[in-house]
Amino acid sequence: ADFNRALRLIEPTIMGLVAGRISAKQLKILTNAGTELAKTTDDTARFIAAYRDSELTAFSAAKNPAVTVLAEILHWVRVAVEPTVAANVKEMPGVAKTNRRAQASFAEFISAATDHDSQRATAVWSETLKATAAWAEESEFSERLMLDLMG
Protein backbone atom coordinates (compact mmCIF):
# COMPACT_ATOMS: atom_id res chain seq x y z
CA ALA A 1 0.00 0.00 0.00
CA ASP A 2 2.86 2.39 0.78
CA PHE A 3 4.30 1.93 -2.70
CA ASN A 4 0.99 2.84 -4.33
CA ARG A 5 0.55 5.84 -2.06
CA ALA A 6 4.01 7.06 -3.03
CA LEU A 7 3.17 6.64 -6.71
CA ARG A 8 0.04 8.76 -6.25
CA LEU A 9 2.23 11.54 -4.85
CA ILE A 10 4.82 11.65 -7.62
CA GLU A 11 3.57 10.09 -10.85
CA PRO A 12 0.77 12.54 -11.76
CA THR A 13 3.17 15.50 -11.69
CA ILE A 14 5.70 13.63 -13.80
CA MET A 15 3.04 12.72 -16.33
CA GLY A 16 2.04 16.38 -16.54
CA LEU A 17 5.67 17.14 -17.34
CA VAL A 18 5.63 14.40 -19.99
CA ALA A 19 2.54 15.86 -21.65
CA GLY A 20 4.17 19.25 -21.89
CA ARG A 21 7.42 17.94 -23.35
CA ILE A 22 6.51 14.93 -25.48
CA SER A 23 7.76 15.02 -29.06
CA ALA A 24 5.80 13.82 -32.09
CA LYS A 25 8.06 10.75 -32.35
CA GLN A 26 7.59 9.86 -28.67
CA LEU A 27 3.86 10.46 -28.96
CA LYS A 28 3.66 7.98 -31.84
CA ILE A 29 5.53 5.37 -29.75
CA LEU A 30 3.23 6.06 -26.80
CA THR A 31 0.13 5.79 -29.00
CA ASN A 32 1.34 2.43 -30.29
CA ALA A 33 1.93 1.30 -26.69
CA GLY A 34 -1.62 2.37 -25.86
CA THR A 35 -2.97 0.37 -28.78
CA GLU A 36 -1.10 -2.73 -27.60
CA LEU A 37 -2.34 -2.15 -24.06
CA ALA A 38 -5.95 -2.15 -25.28
CA LYS A 39 -5.44 -5.64 -26.73
CA THR A 40 -4.47 -7.11 -23.35
CA THR A 41 -7.21 -6.06 -20.91
CA ASP A 42 -8.66 -9.58 -20.62
CA ASP A 43 -5.28 -11.23 -20.02
CA THR A 44 -4.09 -9.84 -16.71
CA ALA A 45 -0.50 -11.10 -16.90
CA ARG A 46 -0.04 -9.56 -20.35
CA PHE A 47 -1.87 -6.40 -19.27
CA ILE A 48 0.41 -5.88 -16.27
CA ALA A 49 3.51 -6.22 -18.45
CA ALA A 50 2.10 -4.02 -21.22
CA TYR A 51 1.01 -1.35 -18.73
CA ARG A 52 4.43 -1.35 -17.07
CA ASP A 53 6.12 -0.95 -20.46
CA SER A 54 3.68 1.79 -21.49
CA GLU A 55 4.44 3.73 -18.31
CA LEU A 56 8.18 3.42 -18.90
CA THR A 57 7.67 4.70 -22.44
CA ALA A 58 5.74 7.68 -21.11
CA PHE A 59 8.31 8.47 -18.40
CA SER A 60 11.08 8.54 -20.99
CA ALA A 61 9.34 11.46 -22.73
CA ALA A 62 9.95 13.74 -19.73
CA LYS A 63 13.48 14.42 -21.01
CA ASN A 64 14.79 14.75 -17.47
CA PRO A 65 17.63 12.57 -16.16
CA ALA A 66 16.25 12.56 -12.60
CA VAL A 67 12.87 11.36 -13.86
CA THR A 68 14.61 8.71 -15.95
CA VAL A 69 16.40 7.38 -12.86
CA LEU A 70 13.15 7.38 -10.90
CA ALA A 71 11.37 5.60 -13.75
CA GLU A 72 14.04 2.92 -13.83
CA ILE A 73 13.73 2.33 -10.09
CA LEU A 74 9.93 2.08 -10.31
CA HIS A 75 10.31 -0.22 -13.31
CA TRP A 76 12.73 -2.44 -11.39
CA VAL A 77 10.29 -2.73 -8.47
CA ARG A 78 7.36 -3.51 -10.78
CA VAL A 79 9.28 -6.14 -12.71
CA ALA A 80 10.33 -7.78 -9.46
CA VAL A 81 6.80 -7.98 -8.01
CA GLU A 82 5.07 -8.75 -11.31
CA PRO A 83 5.20 -12.57 -11.10
CA THR A 84 3.66 -12.60 -7.63
CA VAL A 85 0.99 -10.05 -8.48
CA ALA A 86 0.09 -11.57 -11.85
CA ALA A 87 -0.20 -15.06 -10.37
CA ASN A 88 -2.56 -13.97 -7.60
CA VAL A 89 -4.54 -11.08 -9.03
CA LYS A 90 -6.29 -13.19 -11.70
CA GLU A 91 -8.52 -14.69 -9.04
CA MET A 92 -9.71 -11.35 -7.74
CA PRO A 93 -13.17 -10.26 -8.86
CA GLY A 94 -13.36 -7.29 -11.21
CA VAL A 95 -9.76 -7.40 -12.40
CA ALA A 96 -10.64 -7.29 -16.11
CA LYS A 97 -12.96 -4.35 -15.42
CA THR A 98 -10.17 -2.54 -13.57
CA ASN A 99 -7.80 -3.31 -16.46
CA ARG A 100 -10.29 -1.77 -18.92
CA ARG A 101 -10.66 1.33 -16.72
CA ALA A 102 -6.89 1.71 -16.45
CA GLN A 103 -6.52 1.28 -20.22
CA ALA A 104 -9.23 3.88 -20.89
CA SER A 105 -7.48 6.29 -18.53
CA PHE A 106 -4.19 5.65 -20.30
CA ALA A 107 -5.91 6.51 -23.60
CA GLU A 108 -7.16 9.74 -22.01
CA PHE A 109 -3.61 10.50 -20.91
CA ILE A 110 -2.41 10.02 -24.49
CA SER A 111 -5.10 12.45 -25.63
CA ALA A 112 -3.93 15.03 -23.09
CA ALA A 113 -0.32 14.47 -24.15
CA THR A 114 -1.32 14.91 -27.79
CA ASP A 115 -2.71 18.33 -26.84
CA HIS A 116 0.35 19.05 -24.64
CA ASP A 117 -2.16 19.69 -21.86
CA SER A 118 -0.11 19.20 -18.69
CA GLN A 119 -2.94 19.99 -16.30
CA ARG A 120 -5.33 17.49 -17.87
CA ALA A 121 -2.58 14.85 -18.07
CA THR A 122 -1.84 15.32 -14.36
CA ALA A 123 -5.54 15.01 -13.47
CA VAL A 124 -6.04 11.97 -15.71
CA TRP A 125 -3.00 10.19 -14.28
CA SER A 126 -4.19 10.88 -10.77
CA GLU A 127 -7.54 9.29 -11.65
CA THR A 128 -5.74 6.37 -13.31
CA LEU A 129 -3.89 5.62 -10.09
CA LYS A 130 -7.14 5.84 -8.13
CA ALA A 131 -8.69 3.25 -10.48
CA THR A 132 -6.05 0.69 -9.60
CA ALA A 133 -5.60 1.71 -5.96
CA ALA A 134 -8.64 -0.19 -4.72
CA TRP A 135 -7.26 -3.65 -5.42
CA ALA A 136 -3.76 -2.60 -4.40
CA GLU A 137 -4.90 -1.38 -1.00
CA GLU A 138 -7.69 -3.85 -0.30
CA SER A 139 -5.91 -7.00 -1.42
CA GLU A 140 -3.58 -9.13 0.63
CA PHE A 141 -0.71 -7.43 -1.21
CA SER A 142 -1.29 -4.25 0.77
CA GLU A 143 -0.26 -6.03 3.93
CA ARG A 144 3.04 -7.24 2.53
CA LEU A 145 6.34 -5.44 2.10
CA MET A 146 7.52 -4.88 -1.46
CA LEU A 147 10.64 -6.92 -0.65
CA ASP A 148 8.42 -9.87 0.26
CA LEU A 149 6.54 -9.57 -3.03
CA MET A 150 9.81 -9.57 -4.94
CA GLY A 151 10.30 -13.18 -4.00
Side-chain angles (χ1 to χ4, degrees), residues 26-116:
Q26 291 167 317
L27 188 58
K28 183 176 180 178
I29 293 167
L30 190 62
T31 300
N32 290 340
T35 300
E36 289 304 309
L37 184 64
K39 294 176 185 177
T40 66
T41 57
D42 291 326
D43 181 342
T44 300
R46 281 184 55 221
F47 180 79
I48 291 170
Y51 195 86
R52 172 185 31 87
D53 291 345
S54 297
E55 280 185 320
L56 191 59
T57 298
F59 272 122
S60 71
K63 301 177 187 172
N64 180 317
V67 171
T68 301
V69 170
L70 177 62
E72 289 295 331
I73 292 169
L74 295 174
H75 183 74
W76 171 76
V77 171
R78 287 180 172 128
V79 167
V81 302
E82 192 173 292
T84 302
V85 172
N88 293 303
V89 79
K90 289 186 251 180
E91 306 305 320
M92 294 179 71
V95 170
K97 183 178 178 182
T98 300
N99 291 351
R100 286 190 291 278
R101 267 198 319 247
Q103 183 276 321
S105 291
F106 194 82
E108 286 182 54
F109 166 75
I110 293 171
S111 175
T114 299
D115 295 338
H116 297 284

